[in-house]
Amino acid sequence: MGRRIVLASNNAGKVREIGQLLADQEIEVLPQSEFDIPEAEETGLTFVENAILKARHAAHLAGLPAIADDSGIEVDALNGAPGIYSARFAGKGASDSDNLRKLLEELKDVPEQNRTARFQCLMVYMRHEKDPTPIICQGTWEGCILFEPRGSGGFGYDPVFYVPTHDCASAELAPDEKNRLSHRGQAIRKLVTALKESAA
């Protein structure tokens, strides 16, 4: 096997998805749990700051290059909230359904044409913990917020994120189609291209 990279996440789905996309690059992606690395404290004020904090933390403790992403949903009617607080919008330790309920409650009087939103994903690759020039890739997925959840796929805000190009909620898309369209899929593909170029 060629390079080994630690993924600053304990999310099995993310590890699998990124591992598959990097497999033909002879890159082995290892979850940070293999090194008993705890989740980093997300003290940044932007997606990119949090992604760098997570990547640096994992690279430091694993002694390997690291990939990290920070993602969330921005709702225009809420001035970009929940943004970096997407996972804890309804409070620390909130479940996906708690966050969904809070979002729908805050938007209950907002008409359809003003419910525009987008998912953002910032993905960072650091060669080592002191890497002064990390590779930073961004994916953006435009849509709007439905009035009630639809579909049973995906996670997080997928059931209320309407995808205009497919006339359905993100949670109603097949997994392969979601990965092709999504903010995370876009960011990963850009990162794969950047890693190929840096290895050339």
Side-chain angles (χ1 to χ4, degrees):
M1 204 67 187
R3 287 186 281 178
R4 298 166 82 226
I5 295 176
V6 60
L7 178 64
S9 173
N10 293 322
N11 182 316
K14 257 190 221 184
V15 174
R16 190 170 54 250
E17 196 175 290
I18 293 174
Q20 285 165 350
L21 282 155
L22 294 177
D24 63 344
Q25 305 308 307
E26 293 199 338
I27 292 172
E28 184 184 4
V29 178
L30 304 161
Q32 64 180 13
S33 55
E34 282 200 20
F35 303 91
D36 293 323
I37 296 172
E39 296 281 355
E41 189 106 9
E42 294 183 33
T43 54
L45 297 177
T46 60
F47 290 122
V48 72
E49 286 177 273
N50 281 334
I52 287 172
L53 284 169
K54 290 191 268 192
R56 184 176 288 134
H57 177 73
H60 168 66
L61 292 171
L64 288 171
I67 292 173
D69 86 301
D70 199 42
S71 47
I73 194 164
E74 298 173 348
V75 180
D76 293 323
L78 302 178
N79 295 320
I84 61 167
Y85 304 107
S86 292
R88 49 193 190 277
F89 190 41
K92 207 168 161 60
S95 68
D96 284 355
S97 53
D98 294 336
N99 290 328
L100 279 187
R101 264 195 306 277
K102 180 174 167 65
L103 181 63
L104 292 177
E105 177 61 28
E106 297 223 352
L107 292 174
K108 71 177 190 296
D109 299 323
V110 176
E112 192 174 334
Q113 67 270 24
N114 296 339
R115 297 171 77 92
T116 49
R118 70 211 47 80
F119 277 121
Q120 298 281 13
C121 175
L122 265 295
M123 196 161 283
V124 168
Y125 171 76
M126 297 187 83
R127 287 165 280 267
H128 50 80
E129 67 168 302
K130 293 194 168 83
D131 189 347
T133 52
I135 295 171
I136 299 169
C137 302
Q138 180 173 1
T140 302
W141 193 15
E142 295 285 344
C144 54
I145 305 299
L146 292 161
F147 286 88
E148 56 189 39
R150 283 165 46 179
S152 56
F155 61 94
Y157 295 90
D158 286 341
V160 297
F161 184 74
Y162 176 74
V163 185
T165 54
H166 289 58
D167 188 26
C168 67
S170 171
E172 295 175 299
L173 292 168
D176 286 354
E177 187 66 0
K178 183 193 166 190
N179 288 342
R180 194 178 69 75
L181 298 168
S182 79
H183 51 309
R184 187 170 292 112
Q186 293 174 40
I188 290 172
R189 286 190 293 277
K190 288 178 185 173
L191 181 63
V192 169
T193 302
L195 287 174
K196 279 183 193 166
E197 288 167 359
S198 71

